[in-house]
Amino acid sequence: MIKLLLSLFIAVLPNAVKRYVYNHFFGYDIHPTASIGLSLINVKNVKMGPHARIKHFCVIKGLECLEIGAYGSIGVLNRFSGVPLSETSFFQAKKDRYPALIMGEHSAIVSRHYFDCNDTITIGRFTTIAGLGCAFWTHGINIKDNVQETAPIEIGEYCLVSARVVVIKGAKLPDYSVLGANSTLHKAYDKPYTLYSGVPAVPVTTLDSSYAYFHRKKGAVD
């Protein structure tokens, strides 16, 4: 509770002061050009590269690690939660889980998405989690054994994840792929340059590797 209250206090500090406090008293590694808005961060380790951003009204708690590469960004009203490894009464059947969010350079999470980070979620370089209302779930209940299980989620490089998708533990979206709106990605795929869509998501069509989105030099799409 004390750490939560301290996190709330730090959230309202000016960015430069906030960065100083996080780096010098929490041991974070936040680049001088990175910025954090009015957001609550209660995470064990944080690393933010040059010009990385976390905008306003986000809640990020319970993670062992938050890493955002250069020019990566988290937009407004996103929520990230996990059960830290110190709480050993949870996920006893899963000994190798690691609650984390790892974002590559120029990757972006737009707004109003939810990420269950009880295991690692990786978002590759130049990938966009677009629209709103996406839900990423790294844990679930195994009804056969009556235990909670976790598995990582991996979203590749130069991907576009459309609005209101659901991504299930163990899922993988390959590099240079698109996940269509309202789809459910439930397994690991390995074919790049593909549109995946549906419930559950399946390969629908091959995408031309010459498309400009796959050759961006900056994350934002004008």
Side-chain angles (χ1 to χ4, degrees), residues 64-184:
E64 296 292 316
C65 178
L66 168 66
E67 183 174 330
I68 307 175
Y71 293 93
S73 67
I74 294 176
V76 300
L77 293 168
N78 292 293
R79 183 178 178 187
F80 309 82
S81 65
V83 176
L85 296 178
S86 58
E87 298 188 23
T88 56
S89 61
F90 293 88
F91 305 110
Q92 296 182 29
K94 183 70 174 179
K95 303 301 183 183
D96 59 346
R97 74 181 186 95
Y98 188 65
L101 174 69
I102 311 297
M103 298 177 61
E105 61 179 344
H106 288 274
S107 61
I109 296 171
V110 182
S111 66
R112 297 176 177 86
H113 301 300
Y114 175 71
F115 292 77
D116 157 41
C117 296
N118 282 298
D119 214 326
T120 302
I121 296 177
T122 304
I123 298 173
R125 301 181 311 123
F126 291 90
T127 282
T128 304
I129 311 300
L132 54 82
C134 294
F136 290 67
W137 299 96
T138 62
H139 89 281
I141 295 176
N142 179 326
I143 60 173
K144 177 179 178 290
D145 298 327
N146 192 36
V147 295
Q148 292 201 49
E149 296 180 330
T150 72
I153 289 172
E154 182 178 348
I155 307 297
E157 300 181 353
Y158 286 88
C159 289
L160 176 61
V161 175
S162 305
R164 299 193 182 280
V165 306
V166 176
V167 183
I168 305 298
K169 62 183 178 67
K172 177 182 178 180
L173 186 67
D175 298 342
Y176 305 100
S177 293
V178 174
L179 182 59
N182 295 302
S183 296
T184 297

